[in-house]
Amino acid sequence: MNIMTWSSLNAGVATPEIFLLCATCAILLIDVFLSDAKRHISYVLTLAALVATGCLLVAGYSLQPQLAFNGMFIADPLASLSKLGMVVGVILMLVYGRGYAAVRGLFRGELFTLTLCALLGMMVMASAVNFVVLYVGLELLSLSLYALVALQRTSSRSTEAAMKYFILGALASGLLLYGMSMVYGATQSLDVFVIAQKIAHDEANRLLTVFGIVFIVTGLGFKLGAVPFHMWAPDVYDGAPTLVSQLIGSAPKVAAFAFIMRILAQALEGFAFDWRSMLMVLAVLSLVIGNVTAIAQVNIKRMFAYSTISHMGFLLLGIMAATPGGYAAAFFYAMTYMLTAAAGFGLIMLLSREGFEADQIADFRGLNKRSPWFAAMMLIVMFSMAGIPVFIGFFAKLAIIQALVGLGLVWLAVIAVLMSVIGAFYYLRVVKVMYFEDPTDTAPIAAGADAKLVLSVNCLLLLVLGMAPDRLLTALTTALQFSLHPGL
Amino acid sequence: MTEVIFYVFAAILLFAGLRVVTAKNPVHAALYLVLSFFNGAALWMLMQAEFLAVSLIVVYVGAVMVLFLFVVMMLDINFEELRKGFWKYVPVAGTVAVVMAVEMALILSHRAAQIEGAGLVDHPAGYNNAKVLGQLIYTEYFLPFQLAAVLLLVGMIAAIALTLRKRKNTKYINPANQIQVKRNDRVKIVSMPAEERPSVEAPKADDGQA
């Protein structure tokens, strides 16, 4: 029997999470005593809590991994950096979505507490090194997201989207759990490092483990929205309030990357041969179906959903390479995609106003005449997603393709490039609509100054990072080196 | 002796499970489900997992099934309507069930699926299941246990956010105002000059006015 001591608990390692949980509870209580007119106080408190969590993460950053909670929780550079990315993603969502939420009656305490709980779930996913904790973190994120999608309860589309998301999400959790239970049966451990060790020493039941991996990859595919498990994504992105779509489309992708790293790259590294081929199928299908279907969309939120599917294909290609270079490229892709998607959804919310959703591509008509600055910002986002040089999206794709070519998988690289070219079509169509068509909607842009400022910084960052991608890439590569092979 | 008890409970469990799907009356079906839970708990008890057995009865029989019975009794669902296609689907359902049973038997008997240490453990006398579980949860599994609590909190927030509706036309009573009320707020005395009593009979809807 393990006796818990203060040193085996080592709770100081999880200070950001503990602080975030306490802050969430405090905001939950404070919000009850606020009238609707004073709701902005909870908003400011939420932002303050997020910024403080970010500061704690930066202050606690160290290259040496530290275990806590009896070896169930790890604070390594991979976890710290991805958590920092998630915190930024959630801050962006709240800043962009404030005006949007206010005019739709969503500016309520539950929006803040559920968002913070979702963030806590993501942070746990990034740090957990035990299958139980990994699963609980994932459920914390998923449950918060289901509720957030349904938050606009008068809208039947939101409710429908939430129902679909909930049912498919529950199915995916079940599959994932089933797979985990098989791996547990085969290795008799839930601990990521013990499982890796048992597999390395050939003490794991091969048949059962591979069987479990099939279920785990299927569950992950559902959660990521990779083809053929992508059916929920367009409906959820379209039906959810845009700020929730932004939340689903940005920060959780970073969490999903860390989650996949823990399960596939750390625990099941010894079976890389088996899960690589599964990921390859998912990645190629996602690239093809995501890009081709996106062409047919007239709703920009649905277009983003299909574009996310194709981007997840790229992410999976990086993980599938199963080399340090491939992992680093995928990490870089997840982080930069988070920023790009946040900006994209931010621009949709910028153009939305009371009683009007700018969710059709046609709503962007003649944006250049209405606001040349934001047309330029949208141009940056679209070019970055399409992977046009100078913008960050190009370097993200380049890093993945380099990793693939380095492995000799040239045919995969060719498919990825071809599909990017097809994808460029629908991104460029948005640009064409903005610059070469006349505006049909001439209302002034209603968003607040704070959202406009942060959005501009966000978009310019895509350009600036694109000019100097090396530093970020090097930082992420070092982080992964120290996380995946501690003791280097 | 244990084996005999096992087969008795297992037989009742199977019978109850079968009745859950075949009972015409949904209340009977729910009650059979209670019976099957009870027998499942007894099987766990035989495996010396008394904590699981007790919690199954407390949680499922005591809370979930009682709530479920309430729902079944309150909702006016036409179960005959739901059962209409039953015989039409029997062949397909039967095939699926047989295939699943064969697959399960194959998997369970396959050599590769034999898991080390999967057999029953003999515990020494005085071994306390609940105590061991409690010690594990509060020490080794402290983190997932706390996070599961947060999960429940999220469920609570979500349920309240999605179902609590403030109705604007509801007439709330404010107890503070109720207590502070003065005599003058309730009765207003107006001074009026005295009038002669009008001599009208009890008003009958039409006659008087016409």
Side-chain angles (χ1 to χ4, degrees):
Chain A
M1 176 72 27
N2 271 352
I3 302 299
M4 184 170 67
T5 60
W6 191 244
S7 62
S8 75
L9 192 65
N10 200 12
V13 171
T15 312
E17 280 83 1
I18 295 172
F19 170 77
L20 184 66
L21 178 58
C22 296
T24 310
C25 293
I27 290 168
L28 183 66
L29 279 181
I30 293 169
D31 184 75
V32 175
F33 294 100
L34 293 176
S35 64
D36 273 339
K38 286 185 189 158
R39 199 64 70 203
H40 59 271
I41 295 180
S42 345
Y43 170 75
V44 172
L45 283 176
T46 309
L47 280 188
L50 287 169
V51 171
T53 311
C55 293
L56 286 173
L57 282 170
V58 174
Y61 185 80
S62 100
L63 280 176
Q64 287 314 318
Q66 281 176 294
L67 283 170
F69 294 108
N70 301 301
M72 293 202 174
F73 184 97
I74 195 168
D76 55 9
L78 163 65
S80 304
L81 283 183
S82 40
K83 283 181 209 166
L84 212 53
M86 296 163 202
V87 171
V88 172
V90 172
I91 292 179
L92 291 180
M93 169 233 168
L94 287 173
V95 171
Y96 298 161
R98 192 184 64 149
Y100 179 92
V103 295
R104 280 164 186 78
L106 292 175
F107 202 64
R108 309 204 305 255
E110 294 88 7
L111 173 69
F112 307 123
T113 40
L114 286 174
T115 309
L116 290 177
C117 286
L119 176 65
L120 182 66
M122 289 189 260
M123 290 171 74
V124 171
M125 279 165 75
S127 262
V129 281
N130 183 292
F131 276 7
V132 175
V133 185
L134 278 166
Y135 177 73
V136 174
L138 178 67
E139 280 307 282
L140 197 51
L141 166 68
S142 308
L143 273 182
S144 313
L145 287 184
Y146 304 146
L148 280 171
V149 171
L151 206 53
Q152 200 173 15
R153 57 193 182 200
T154 47
S155 149
S156 59
R157 269 167 29 127
S158 294
T159 318
E160 185 196 329
M163 255 345 253
K164 282 184 183 160
Y165 195 26
F166 177 63
I167 291 172
L168 285 176
L171 182 69
S173 298
L175 288 173
L176 192 69
L177 210 52
Y178 195 32
M180 285 177 173
S181 74
M182 287 189 194
V183 173
Y184 176 53
T187 58
Q188 288 128 56
S189 175
L190 289 167
D191 189 283
V192 163
F193 300 112
V194 177
I195 291 174
Q197 213 178 14
K198 289 232 176 184
I199 292 176
H201 293 151
D202 210 16
E203 289 169 21
N205 184 325
R206 187 182 154 77
L207 185 74
L208 253 186
T209 316
V210 176
F211 210 54
I213 291 176
V214 173
F215 283 97
I216 289 178
V217 169
T218 310
L220 292 175
F222 261 116
K223 295 283 177 195
L224 268 182
V227 180
F229 313 111
H230 65 293
M231 293 306 183
W232 58 272
D235 288 337
V236 171
Y237 276 54
D238 183 23
T242 309
L243 82 161
V244 180
S245 310
Q246 182 189 338
L247 180 65
I248 297 175
S250 56
K253 305 299 177 202
V254 181
F257 168 76
F259 191 75
I260 296 178
M261 280 288 114
R262 299 283 178 222
I263 296 186
L264 294 186
Q266 285 193 294
L268 301 169
E269 196 190 8
F271 286 99
F273 175 79
D274 298 276
W275 54 256
R276 278 184 64 194
S277 45
M278 300 178 203
L279 289 192
M280 196 189 293
V281 175
L282 290 187
V284 171
L285 282 177
S286 302
L287 279 173
V288 174
I289 293 184
N291 277 319
V292 171
T293 322
I295 293 176
Q297 306 303 318
V298 287
N299 181 313
I300 196 161
K301 279 162 82 179
R302 291 188 88 84
M303 190 193 97
F304 273 159
Y306 283 106
S307 114
T308 308
I309 293 171
S310 71
H311 287 291
M312 287 309 109
F314 255 105
L315 185 77
L316 287 176
L317 278 184
I319 299 172
M320 183 231 94
T323 55
Y327 293 149
F331 197 11
F332 187 70
Y333 204 98
M335 293 290 247
T336 54
Y337 180 72
M338 187 273 295
L339 279 179
T340 322
F345 282 107
L347 280 158
I348 298 179
M349 282 190 275
L350 188 82
L351 295 187
S352 305
R353 55 183 179 272
E354 195 164 359
F356 176 73
E357 300 269 346
D359 60 357
Q360 304 296 317
I361 296 179
D363 293 329
F364 283 78
R365 264 188 203 143
L367 183 62
N368 185 38
K369 295 212 174 81
R370 289 166 64 198
S371 163
W373 176 250
F374 285 106
M377 294 298 117
M378 189 68 174
L379 178 103
I380 294 181
V381 173
M382 288 295 122
F383 276 12
S384 178
M385 281 196 183
I388 288 170
V390 185
F391 301 99
I392 189 74
F394 168 72
F395 292 98
K397 286 188 163 66
L398 184 69
I400 300 262
I401 288 168
Q402 270 176 343
L404 289 179
V405 172
L407 279 176
L409 293 165
V410 179
W411 65 275
L412 263 184
V414 170
I415 291 182
V417 173
L418 272 182
M419 287 304 140
S420 302
V421 173
I422 293 179
F425 168 77
Y426 57 85
Y427 295 123
L428 291 181
R429 185 174 58 188
V430 178
V431 174
K432 177 213 144 205
V433 161
M434 284 193 306
Y435 280 89
F436 302 108
E437 287 185 19
D438 286 326
T440 46
D441 170 28
T442 48
I445 290 172
D450 51 346
K452 283 182 175 171
L453 180 71
V454 178
L455 194 55
S456 306
V457 173
N458 187 176
C459 293
L460 290 176
L461 203 60
L462 299 179
L463 184 61
V464 174
L465 278 176
M467 286 172 177
D470 295 338
R471 291 191 60 176
L472 182 60
L473 191 55
T474 320
L476 297 181
T477 313
T478 328
L480 274 177
Q481 252 171 17
F482 277 92
S483 308
L484 294 183
H485 301 285
L488 267 183
Chain B
M1 185 62 197
T2 319
E3 254 177 40
V4 176
I5 300 175
F6 170 80
Y7 283 114
V8 170
F9 280 123
I12 302 179
L13 175 63
L14 282 179
F15 167 74
L18 208 63
R19 288 298 290 152
V20 173
V21 268
T22 52
K24 281 235 157 54
N25 188 331
V27 178
H28 290 178
L31 289 173
Y32 273 114
L33 195 56
V34 170
L35 181 63
S36 67
F37 279 147
F38 212 84
N39 282 286
L43 290 185
W44 261 334
M45 202 66 108
L46 285 183
M47 291 166 76
Q48 305 188 7
E50 71 271 8
F51 181 77
L52 281 179
V54 172
S55 55
L56 181 73
I57 290 185
V58 171
V59 176
Y60 274 89
V61 178
V64 177
M65 283 318 293
V66 170
L67 276 181
F68 192 75
L69 271 177
F70 269 117
V71 172
V72 168
M73 289 176 183
M74 276 184 196
L75 292 182
D76 185 23
I77 303 170
N78 189 353
F79 285 90
E80 283 307 310
E81 196 72 22
L82 287 178
R83 220 191 302 276
K84 251 183 182 171
F86 181 77
W87 289 108
K88 211 171 75 189
Y89 297 121
V90 160
V92 183
T95 321
V96 171
V98 169
V99 169
M100 270 168 60
V102 171
E103 280 176 343
M104 273 198 269
L106 283 179
I107 287 183
L108 287 178
S109 58
H110 192 273
R111 188 169 36 83
Q114 298 306 316
I115 299 164
E116 295 166 43
L120 284 185
V121 185
D122 262 332
H123 296 302
Y127 176 83
N128 189 339
N129 211 307
K131 190 179 164 193
V132 174
L133 208 63
Q135 262 178 359
L136 268 183
I137 283 179
Y138 287 102
T139 57
E140 216 183 316
Y141 287 86
F142 178 73
L143 180 65
F145 184 64
Q146 295 295 322
L147 286 172
V150 183
L151 208 57
L152 290 181
L153 178 68
V154 169
M156 214 158 75
I157 299 173
I160 293 173
L162 295 182
T163 54
L164 185 72
R165 282 152 212 263
K166 273 197 189 125
R167 297 211 177 88
K168 281 188 184 123
N169 53 2
T170 311
K171 292 179 174 62
Y172 288 105
I173 294 171
N174 186 344
N177 289 347
Q178 237 177 350
I179 292 167
Q180 281 176 348
V181 82
K182 298 263 159 51
R183 176 176 161 273
N184 289 344
D185 298 329
R186 293 189 191 276
V187 188
K188 194 172 186 186
I189 298 177
V190 188
S191 96
M192 280 176 69
E195 278 180 27
E196 204 177 315
R197 188 177 200 171
S199 57
V200 192
E201 289 175 30
K204 273 186 182 177
D206 298 328
D207 300 357
Q209 300 299 317

